[in-house]
Amino acid sequence: MEFGVVLQTDPPAWRVVDLARRAESLGFSYGWTFDSHLLWQEPYVIYSQMLSATNRMIVGPMVTNPGTRDWTVTASLFATLNDMFGNRTVCGIGRGDSAMRVLGRHPASLVTLAESMKVIKGLAEGRQVDHNGTRQQLPWCSDGRLDIWMAAYGPRALQLCGRQADGFILQLADPQIAEWTVAAVRRAAADAGRDPDDLRICVAAPAYVGDDLAHQRDQCRWFGGMVGNHVADLVERYGDSDNVPRALTDYIAGRSGYDYAEHGRAGNVHADFVPDQVIDRFCILGNPASHIARLEELRDLGVHQFAVYLMHDAQDETLRAYGDQIIPALTS
């Protein structure tokens, strides 16, 4: 099993770079950040420094979207970083939540997302693409490689991910939901004539190592609120049906609104509707043994990477516990 760390690009940016450097030294092989340019600092500027400060770490957004950046600009950004640092980037992408909604826009359609993935990957890998009625190619890019990992929850998005993406990102660590989504993505890949074993599966969620579960829940409750934004879209689309498991949808019944000014932050008052049992399912809390047990369960379901959301008051302690105890137990 591989491990990643997911960071917010809060100032100072050098703190993000330092966390990435330390994470690599502790055994983390991926460094991810949020991509909401109005809420936090610009991640692609910071990626160059993260790559420079590390030797092997693969770096990218969790996740970008097709609406806030021109697709050709996104492709050129990745291709430039790969040319400088040797194909050490990954493009996590989805329909868009905070970055789009803060601008007063709706998340992109799956049709738009599918087309954007083709354009970004094609250009970043040096191929010609048809875009906006034109034929385009980066003339200086000849041997690039850019894997695109797609974040998804609902049935249609999972199908698109399986048909087209190089990897699947599930932003929660509930084994029951992981089993359902991973199966759907792999089934869609097989139906499209692809080898399901070629898809990389990444689960991303807050992880907090310690003994005070009440405090850990309070620090990670924001995550249930963030996931609830995507779940609300699913409920609006699919209603009360069997297309989406109730283990994912039932908890948002008490959701009344959301303030993106508190997005991804511990103490988010708009996440009060999230019950403790959902936090326990969606996040990984407790002592190192508890983390190892959950990660072994996810690994047995076909998960290749666990990416730690590090948005709480024990960032350094959690990184150290993973490096000293948890990562060795899952990689030996």
Side-chain angles (χ1 to χ4, degrees), residues 111 191 218 223 332:
V111 171
D191 289 346
D218 287 342
F223 184 68
S332 58

Side-chain angles (χ1 to χ4, degrees), residues 188-204:
D191 289 346
R194 307 176 71 194
D195 184 349
D197 291 336
D198 289 341
L199 275 94
R200 305 303 292 174
I201 309 296
C202 173
V203 161

Side-chain angles (χ1 to χ4, degrees), residues 260-274:
Y260 279 92
E262 297 185 328
H263 188 64
R265 300 195 184 278
N268 183 339
V269 299
H270 295 86
D272 288 347
F273 70 93
V274 181

Side-chain angles (χ1 to χ4, degrees), residues 18-320:
D18 184 57
L19 284 170
R21 180 189 58 77
R22 278 191 280 164
E24 183 184 67
S25 72
L26 291 167
F28 290 83
S29 53
Y30 280 74
W32 305 89
T33 76
F34 282 24
D35 179 10
S36 290
H37 60 286
L38 290 175
L39 296 179
W40 302 289
Q41 292 183 327
E42 171 55 39
Y44 287 94
V45 176
I46 299 171
Y47 292 159
S48 189
Q49 295 296 330
M50 291 171 65
L51 288 162
S52 182
T54 57
N55 297 309
R56 301 169 303 281
M57 179 173 276
I58 297 171
V59 170
M62 187 177 285
V63 293
T64 193
N65 69 85
T68 55
R69 303 177 191 273
D70 185 276
W71 307 344
T72 61
V73 173
T74 298
S76 185
L77 283 165
F78 280 112
T80 301
L81 290 171
N82 282 338
D83 184 65
M84 293 174 67
F85 296 101
N87 290 331
R88 286 173 53 205
T89 68
V90 60
C91 178
I93 195 167
R95 294 175 58 226
D97 178 32
S98 59
M100 295 285 280
R101 296 186 202 267
V102 167
L103 287 169
R105 300 169 65 182
H106 295 293
S109 70
L110 290 177
V111 171
T112 297
L113 178 56
E115 184 61 25
S116 74
M117 290 193 291
K118 292 178 183 177
V119 170
I120 293 168
K121 184 177 178 68
L123 287 175
E125 294 188 338
R127 297 189 297 277
Q128 286 188 343
V129 301
D130 293 320
H131 175 54
N132 199 30
T134 67
R135 177 65 59 88
Q136 301 292 342
Q137 186 172 18
L138 298 178
W140 48 268
C141 178
S142 59
D143 59 351
R145 186 187 75 247
L146 180 66
D147 286 346
I148 294 188
W149 296 13
M150 179 182 155
Y153 292 105
R156 291 178 60 235
L158 295 168
Q159 290 172 10
L160 172 59
C161 181
R163 290 196 307 269
Q164 186 173 335
D166 300 300
F168 165 50
I169 297 172
L170 174 64
Q171 291 167 304
L172 54 80
D174 183 324
Q176 180 181 352
I177 297 171
E179 183 175 21
W180 176 76
T181 54
V182 169
V185 168
R186 290 177 58 85
R187 186 165 55 248
D191 289 346
R194 307 176 71 194
D195 184 349
D197 291 336
D198 289 341
L199 275 94
R200 305 303 292 174
I201 309 296
C202 173
V203 161
Y208 192 128
V209 181
D211 297 318
D212 187 346
L213 281 175
H215 179 73
Q216 293 176 55
R217 289 170 181 143
D218 287 342
Q219 285 287 302
C220 298
R221 199 175 305 274
W222 64 268
F223 184 68
M226 185 188 83
V227 173
N229 298 325
H230 302 283
V231 174
D233 287 345
L234 295 179
V235 171
E236 182 178 356
R237 175 176 293 275
Y238 295 102
D240 186 17
S241 72
D242 294 331
N243 290 319
V244 182
R246 291 185 179 276
L248 178 59
T249 60
D250 277 357
Y251 83 99
I252 69 162
R255 181 180 182 271
S256 59
Y258 193 81
D259 183 355
Y260 279 92
E262 297 185 328
H263 188 64
R265 300 195 184 278
N268 183 339
V269 299
H270 295 86
D272 288 347
F273 70 93
V274 181
D276 287 352
Q277 60 266 33
V278 166
I279 304 170
D280 293 346
R281 286 170 38 218
F282 285 13
C283 308
I284 305 184
L285 311 176
N287 59 32
S290 298
H291 288 249
I292 292 168
R294 176 76 67 85
L295 291 169
E296 288 177 336
E297 189 173 2
L298 291 169
R299 183 184 59 186
D300 291 344
L301 293 173
V303 174
H304 301 106
Q305 180 185 150
F306 177 62
V308 176
Y309 275 91
L310 206 63
M311 294 91 191
H312 51 61
D313 63 1
Q315 295 180 342
D316 296 292
E317 296 84 353
T318 294
L319 275 183
R320 189 164 53 250

